[in-house]
Amino acid sequence: MTQTRTTRLERGRSALGPALELVHTGRAPTRSVLTAELGVTRATAGAVAAELETLGLIQVDSRPGAAAGSQGRPSHRLAIDPAGPVVLATQVHADGFRAALVGLGGRIVATVPGCMTVPADPVHVLSAVVDAGAELLRGSGRRCLGAGLAVPSAVAEPEGAALNPLHVAWPAGAPVREIFAERVRAAGLFGADGGGGATGTGPTAFTGNDVNLAALAEHRHGAGRGARDLLCVATGHRGVGGALVLDGRLHSGSSGLALEVGHLTVNPQGRACHCGSRGCLDVEADPLAFLTAARRDPGPEVSLLQQARDLLRTEYDDPSVRTATEVLIDRLGLGLAGLVNILNPDRIILGGLHRELLGADPERLRAVVADRSLWGQSGSVPILPCTLDHNSLVGAAELAWQPVLDDPLAALQPV
């Protein structure tokens, strides 16, 4: 092999990760775009795409067709291989859990929910969610390359402890990453036979805060794509969380604890919060607060989030529901205005019940933010709904996919 050929091959292999990330995030739909984004020759881009296809990660259209009215040679289209490997994505929330298999491109291949009272010992629910994921994997016949877990708590780095699981009964500092990794290893999820007995080294289990992971997913695949400084605020089954993407990267602070927006005070005379303060966004703008403001008693049969969504969608004309909507929009807007003053984001995205509130009266929410924030007055900040279903799950999958995006060849070596 000549020196030129060796250099070209090494250059192509070093480009595999960046190329896969470009296809994964939808930024390189064709080989010509891939060539331009990587800054390599057409030959190198073609070799990189071919290698990723050989690895079973993407598909290259072998017979590209020119679009109507276009000029020049048509470019080969690139797409994620729909039959390729998956990762296990899991989420624990106040009303139970959800497990999913997620492919490249953020595509959910299969998912299953589990409803349970989350016990004080996290081992029980993490065992249940991993078992549910293992069952999905056995049914799929896919190879699993990693596992990610989203939890309703700040997760301290690097140890992976849940520091403030306020809406589940876990003790503060529960070692959720360690427990999750042990349960994944015990289940043998990383065997090439779709859940067989391979354990030991190889793919890794990751854990993160659910709203941080939602923001990561939306930035790569959803409403936050293209934003430089993205603020995400969401309420799930209980409480309110926030996350920030700065200059295209998730900002989690020095130890993983940045942006605990749920503990901004938006109603000084309001409800007592679990953190010891009063009137926090966490207890003034979540599903339980909405049901309470609408004078509805929460039922045990479905999650609080689903009850609040159903009420907003089906009974919005009821005066008590409309008033509750306005009250929560005003509280949410006040919190967002404070965050805009501090962070000056170029886009805000809202998830969970907050997405539904935005849809119910977008002008009211935008007016509150503009009226109460300096940057809102000088130029409106776009406020958009999150667009991904189960975005915390997709974000958990992003954690698990990251080693593959960093080095596809190393990640796909036999376990």
Side-chain angles (χ1 to χ4, degrees):
M1 182 181 291
T2 66
Q3 181 64 36
T4 300
R5 173 63 177 160
T6 302
T7 303
R8 182 184 300 166
L9 184 61
E10 290 174 348
R11 187 188 308 120
R13 285 180 173 171
S14 69
L16 285 176
L20 182 59
E21 183 168 345
L22 287 166
V23 180
H24 170 64
T25 56
R27 290 178 289 154
T30 66
R31 205 169 70 182
S32 63
V33 175
L34 183 67
T35 301
E37 289 289 334
L38 292 177
V40 298
T41 66
R42 287 174 54 191
T44 298
V48 167
E51 180 71 8
L52 292 174
E53 185 173 37
T54 300
L55 292 171
L57 298 173
I58 73 169
Q59 290 182 333
V60 181
D61 183 0
S62 60
R63 293 186 176 182
S70 64
Q71 296 181 348
R73 179 187 300 177
S75 181
H76 296 267
R77 297 200 64 80
L78 308 177
I80 298 300
D81 188 339
V86 296
V87 296
L88 172 64
T90 61
Q91 180 179 11
V92 174
H93 52 73
D95 296 312
F97 64 82
R98 181 174 286 273
L101 303 181
V102 182
L104 283 166
R107 186 173 68 90
I108 295 178
V109 174
T111 183
V112 61
C115 293
M116 64 184 298
T117 300
V118 178
D121 185 353
V123 171
H124 295 294
V125 67
L126 294 182
S127 296
V129 73
V130 170
D131 288 346
E135 186 66 27
L136 286 176
L137 192 59
R138 282 190 290 270
S140 74
R142 304 286 190 96
R143 181 180 178 184
C144 183
L145 297 181
L149 168 68
V151 295
S153 168
V155 177
E157 298 294 348
E159 61 269 28
L163 288 192
N164 61 342
L166 299 179
H167 301 292
V168 292
W170 300 342
V176 290
R177 180 178 300 156
E178 178 182 332
I179 295 168
F180 179 59
E182 190 280 327
R183 298 313 304 159
V184 166
R185 284 193 298 269
L189 296 184
F190 300 144
D193 57 352
T199 57
T201 61
T204 310
F206 299 88
T207 306
N209 169 261
D210 51 5
V211 181
N212 277 354
L213 297 183
L216 178 62
E218 293 285 346
H219 186 260
R220 289 186 175 181
H221 305 293
R225 183 182 289 171
R228 175 174 173 172
D229 299 319
L230 174 70
L231 172 64
C232 174
V233 176
T235 176
H237 297 264
R238 288 294 304 275
V240 175
L244 185 64
V245 174
L246 288 179
D247 199 19
R249 302 182 71 86
L250 184 65
H251 174 72
S252 56
S254 61
S255 58
L257 309 180
L259 222 70
E260 283 291 305
V261 306
H263 302 291
L264 289 172
T265 299
V266 294
N267 183 12
Q269 308 306 317
R271 299 176 180 83
C273 182
H274 309 275
C275 71
S277 187
R278 181 172 292 277
C280 294
L281 202 60
D282 209 54
V283 292
E284 297 288 338
D286 78 340
L288 181 59
F290 179 71
L291 293 170
T292 301
R295 302 176 186 173
R296 300 297 198 278
D297 293 325
E301 59 281 354
V302 295
S303 72
L304 293 172
L305 176 59
Q306 192 59 51
Q307 291 178 63
R309 280 174 165 166
D310 291 344
L311 184 63
L312 187 57
R313 291 169 180 172
T314 62
E315 299 185 44
Y316 183 64
D317 290 335
D318 184 300
S320 63
V321 175
R322 187 180 291 270
T323 298
T325 302
E326 293 173 351
V327 168
L328 260 73
I329 284 175
D330 290 349
R331 293 172 183 166
L332 174 61
L334 184 61
L336 292 178
L339 292 168
V340 167
N341 283 335
I342 297 169
L343 302 172
N344 188 26
D346 59 16
R347 193 179 310 174
I348 299 171
I349 57 173
L350 302 179
L353 181 62
H354 294 165
R355 177 172 67 173
E356 315 291 339
L357 294 172
L358 174 64
D361 196 344
E363 295 309 315
R364 185 183 186 97
L365 179 60
R366 292 178 177 125
V368 173
V369 174
D371 182 59
R372 301 299 293 266
S373 65
L374 174 63
W375 303 117
Q377 292 172 359
S378 63
S380 61
V381 181
I383 304 176
L384 304 173
C386 290
T387 57
L388 301 177
D389 291 330
H390 308 304
N391 51 18
S392 292
L393 275 178
V394 176
E398 290 299 311
L399 292 182
W401 276 120
Q402 193 59 52
V404 184
L405 299 176
D406 291 339
D407 192 342
L409 282 175
L412 286 162
Q413 292 298 317
V415 178

